[in-house]
Amino acid sequence: MDTDRNGIFGQTAAYYGTVEEQGRKTLHLHLLVWIQDCPSPQEIRDRLLSDGEFRTRFLTWLQSCHTGDFFTGREGVLQQNWEEPGAERIVNGRVKKGKPTLLIRDAACTLPRRPSRDMNETEIQQWYASHRLDVDQIIFCSNRHDPEHGHGCMRGEPPDDYCRARFPRELFDETVVDQATGAVRFEKHDAWINTYNPLLSSALRCNTDVTCLLSGTQVRAIIAYVTDYVTKSSLTTYTFFQTIRTV
């Protein structure tokens, strides 16, 4: 804001966010960003259904904002190259897979390599290839959901239980607009990672989740969700230690 330079999503009109402290005392940020001169969700939906040129340009922009796939290969291929499977064991009559061993250095523990201002075209292409690999390793180490669903992940009782993080995600061969509703279905081939922005992942080097809110209902729900953390009372010492004792 207050600059002529665009951000990674475009010119920022406003932003709103809050930092949440988890039970383990780790911090993470919930942030909303409004883009300058962006049409309302209803206007976007109407134009997606009626204006072919707008639809093409809008989908191209959206796909530049976030992706839900790896750059250099599918997750199964990367797993074969980057981790060793954990040993299987029997737990309550069910086969459980042990924690895999990472065969690469955790990219979240490294710094990104900045491109030089005086690179030639070949050097730019080489840097971009290394950037894509770097982002894939960050996502592989930080953004994947455990297919075994860890403790506290599932809600409800079998067979109607479900993952609270909504994994695995639905897959689509290409990005399309539902002609009946105007909903955008993004191209996605990897079911166990959420959508992210490659530049943000490269800079922050941690788990991120980037989503474009294309309905008024989504916007209101997220604002209420973020505001809940702004107004949440701090955890009392008594409650904190009582929780530890219970665990």
Side-chain angles (χ1 to χ4, degrees):
M1 294 179 63
D2 302 322
T3 176
D4 292 333
R5 296 177 59 186
N6 284 339
I8 57 177
F9 304 120
Q11 187 72 35
T12 302
Y15 63 90
Y16 172 69
T18 183
V19 176
E20 178 195 0
E21 182 184 272
Q22 294 179 317
R24 292 176 295 176
K25 298 299 179 180
T26 56
L27 304 178
H28 66 273
L29 174 68
H30 297 268
L31 183 68
L32 287 170
V33 177
W34 280 265
I35 305 303
Q36 186 74 41
D37 300 322
C38 184
S40 70
Q42 187 59 55
E43 290 174 322
I44 291 175
R45 183 167 299 184
D46 292 342
R47 293 189 64 182
L48 283 174
L49 294 175
S50 63
D51 187 335
E53 181 182 357
F54 173 82
R55 180 167 57 250
T56 299
R57 294 175 59 193
F58 185 74
L59 294 181
T60 299
W61 173 74
L62 278 182
Q63 290 176 300
S64 74
C65 291
H66 56 59
T67 180
D69 293 322
F70 292 100
F71 280 121
T72 59
R74 297 287 175 258
E75 182 179 359
V77 175
L78 300 182
Q79 279 181 305
Q80 293 177 7
N81 297 330
W82 291 349
E83 72 178 13
E84 183 177 311
E88 294 184 346
R89 65 189 193 280
I90 305 298
V91 178
N92 296 327
R94 298 177 60 185
V95 177
K96 300 286 288 187
K97 293 182 179 179
K99 185 176 181 180
T101 301
L102 197 63
L103 301 179
I104 58 173
R105 183 178 182 184
D106 189 340
C109 300
T110 65
L111 293 175
R113 184 170 71 89
R114 296 177 58 184
S116 172
R117 291 180 179 273
D118 56 359
M119 282 183 172
N120 58 39
E121 185 63 30
T122 299
E123 291 172 329
I124 292 174
Q125 293 300 322
Q126 292 173 343
W127 175 86
Y128 185 58
S130 67
H131 164 74
R132 287 159 57 99
L133 179 62
D134 180 55
V135 169
D136 272 4
Q137 292 186 348
I138 293 170
I139 300 305
F140 187 84
C141 295
S142 303
N143 268 52
R144 291 185 301 153
H145 191 79
D146 183 3
E148 297 292 320
H149 300 287
H151 177 70
C153 177
M154 302 301 290
R155 292 289 185 267
E157 297 293 333
D160 300 320
D161 54 341
Y162 61 94
C163 172
R164 67 173 184 168
R166 299 178 290 108
F167 285 99
R169 301 290 170 84
E170 191 173 1
L171 304 181
F172 296 95
D173 290 331
E174 60 181 348
T175 299
V176 296
V177 175
D178 187 321
Q179 293 299 310
T181 65
V184 179
R185 312 297 184 192
F186 290 100
E187 178 182 356
K188 186 161 180 58
H189 303 279
D190 291 300
W192 297 99
I193 62 174
N194 53 268
T195 50
Y196 66 94
N197 177 274
L199 289 178
L200 272 181
S201 292
S202 177
L204 299 178
R205 313 192 77 72
C206 61
N207 176 274
T208 57
D209 189 343
V210 177
T211 302
C212 183
L213 304 178
L214 295 178
S215 77
T217 302
Q218 283 182 313
V219 173
R220 289 190 292 271
I222 293 297
I223 289 176
Y225 179 75
V226 173
T227 304
D228 178 61
Y229 288 109
V230 176
T231 58
K232 182 186 295 184
S233 60
S234 58
L235 193 64
T236 64
T237 303
Y238 170 80
T239 304
F240 180 73
F241 284 106
Q242 179 64 32
T243 301
I244 292 178
R245 190 181 74 82
T246 301
V247 172

